[in-house]
């Protein structure tokens, strides 16, 4: 499907892929505002989010990668820098592996490479937290206004203990473009992931940001934006040499 997408600025295209239950225009706001001064910034609503209406979550990451390819075709954009966090990072990773010829670089945060030993307990805690969120009428009313699809189906999808695509996150070796992985020091599983990713090949760069955790781009936006900008400049310099 072609995703509802907003486009800002002109120049080398950068795609921002939002976190779960956000939308293209509500996430990565500071980063978008900074980069659109010199680049074309593309911010889609992932399927089932915002105005990208879908009720099929059965093969989410595969379909979401196809959606991004179809959307870029529609926009007549050939190669992009992809930036994603959490859900958006997982979609970006699947896109990078499935359509490597469409990628200039990949920036990830908020993902974990390997299933933790206590995954069952972590997942049970997440499910309980989500149940409590669904009982919060102020929260659900806000999401009802933000999303035209039944966003609750996304939460129900995550109740499956095997929903997380560890097969994808466990290995970056097949991706040859430059990769930046940014992580907050407060999430130990993601810090361990950064250490693992850095050993995979010379094009993987990592940045551990203090006083931040899972949503590092929101918690330390100035640092994140600065590092991202420097990374994209370095990639561009290599492409023009």
């Amino acid at each position: 499907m072609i995703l509802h997408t907003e486009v800002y600025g002109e120049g080398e295209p950068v795609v921002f892929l939002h976190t779960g239950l956000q939308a293209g225009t509500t996430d990565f706001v500071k980063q978008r505002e900074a980069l659109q001064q010199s680049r074309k910034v593309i911010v889609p609503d992932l399927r089932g989010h915002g105005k990208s209406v879908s009720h099929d979550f059965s093969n989410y990451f595969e379909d979401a990668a196809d959606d991004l390819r179809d959307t870029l075709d529609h926009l007549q954009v050939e190669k992009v820098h992809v930036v994603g966090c959490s859900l958006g990072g997982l979609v970006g990773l699947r896109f990078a592996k499935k359509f490597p010829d469409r990628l200039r670089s990949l920036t990830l945060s908020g993902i974990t490479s390997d299933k933790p030993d206590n995954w069952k307990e972590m997942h049970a805690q997440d499910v309980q937290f989500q149940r409590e969120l669904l009982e919060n009428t102020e929260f659900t009313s806000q999401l009802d206004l933000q999303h035209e699809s039944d966003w609750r189906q996304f939460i129900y999808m995550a109740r499956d203990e095997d929903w997380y695509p560890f097969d994808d996150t466990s290995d970056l070796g097949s991706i040859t473009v430059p990769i930046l992985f940014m992580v907050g020091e407060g999430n130990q599983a993601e810090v361990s992931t950064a250490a693992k990713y850095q050993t995979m090949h010379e094009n993987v760069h990592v940045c551990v940001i203090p006083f931040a955790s899972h949503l590092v781009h929101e918690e330390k936006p100035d640092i994140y934006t600065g590092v991202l900008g420097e990374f994209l400049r370095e990639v561009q310099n290599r492409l023009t040499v």
Side-chain angles (χ1 to χ4, degrees):
M1 66 181 285
I2 296 174
L3 302 171
H4 174 82
T5 303
E6 301 289 339
V7 180
Y8 305 86
E10 293 293 337
E12 189 80 11
V14 180
V15 176
F16 284 101
L17 301 178
H18 61 78
T19 58
L21 299 182
Q22 289 275 9
T25 57
T26 63
D27 206 1
F28 286 106
V29 175
K30 190 172 185 70
Q31 293 78 26
R32 181 187 79 223
E33 291 174 347
L35 266 63
Q36 72 187 47
Q37 305 303 318
S38 59
R39 300 176 183 273
K40 177 179 286 187
V41 175
I42 301 168
V43 287
D45 295 345
L46 296 173
R47 69 164 44 214
H49 293 73
K51 297 180 180 179
S52 293
V53 179
S54 175
H55 305 291
D56 184 4
F57 291 71
S58 59
N59 194 22
Y60 191 85
F61 298 108
E62 200 75 24
D63 290 342
D66 290 343
D67 294 342
L68 181 55
R69 186 271 318 271
D70 293 345
T71 302
L72 294 176
D73 287 347
H74 177 72
L75 295 173
Q76 298 182 320
V77 173
E78 183 62 27
K79 286 180 176 284
V80 294
H81 302 273
V82 170
V83 182
C85 177
S86 195
L87 176 72
L90 297 172
V91 173
L93 182 56
R94 180 89 294 268
F95 177 82
K97 291 185 174 184
K98 192 169 186 179
F99 305 108
D101 58 322
R102 307 299 296 270
L103 203 65
R104 291 199 184 279
S105 73
L106 178 65
T107 298
L108 301 171
S109 60
I111 68 173
T112 302
S113 59
D114 300 306
K115 182 184 286 188
D117 292 338
N118 64 336
W119 174 253
K120 190 178 184 70
E121 292 78 12
M122 291 173 58
H123 181 260
Q125 291 174 3
D126 286 343
V127 169
Q128 180 57 36
F129 176 69
Q130 292 161 2
R131 287 198 178 100
E132 293 171 3
L133 285 180
L134 292 175
E135 295 172 359
N136 183 329
T137 55
E138 182 178 351
F139 173 79
T140 58
S141 296
Q142 181 180 353
L143 291 185
D144 287 339
L145 292 174
Q146 184 175 342
H147 303 289
E148 295 184 8
S149 304
D150 182 7
W151 56 268
R152 291 168 180 80
Q153 294 302 316
F154 180 73
I155 288 182
Y156 300 152
M157 177 188 80
R159 288 181 177 176
D160 182 347
E161 191 176 321
D162 296 321
W163 79 274
Y164 201 90
F166 288 111
D167 287 346
D168 260 347
T169 60
S170 62
D171 183 23
L172 301 182
S174 63
I175 303 173
T176 59
V177 299
I179 299 170
L180 172 63
F181 185 65
M182 283 196 272
V183 57
E185 67 174 359
N187 190 307
Q188 189 54 53
E190 293 174 13
V191 172
S192 298
T193 296
K196 176 179 177 177
Y197 282 170
Q198 193 173 29
T199 66
M200 290 188 172
H201 57 69
E202 63 181 9
N203 284 333
V204 179
H205 308 273
V206 302
C207 177
V208 179
I209 297 176
F211 311 111
S213 190
H214 181 63
L215 300 179
V216 64
H217 67 291
E218 289 187 353
E219 295 161 7
K220 292 297 176 183
D222 292 335
I223 298 175
Y224 181 101
T225 304
V227 174
L228 174 61
E230 181 64 23
F231 171 71
L232 294 176
R233 285 189 292 272
E234 287 289 333
V235 172
Q236 192 61 36
N237 289 339
R238 293 183 188 181
L239 291 174
T240 56
V241 169

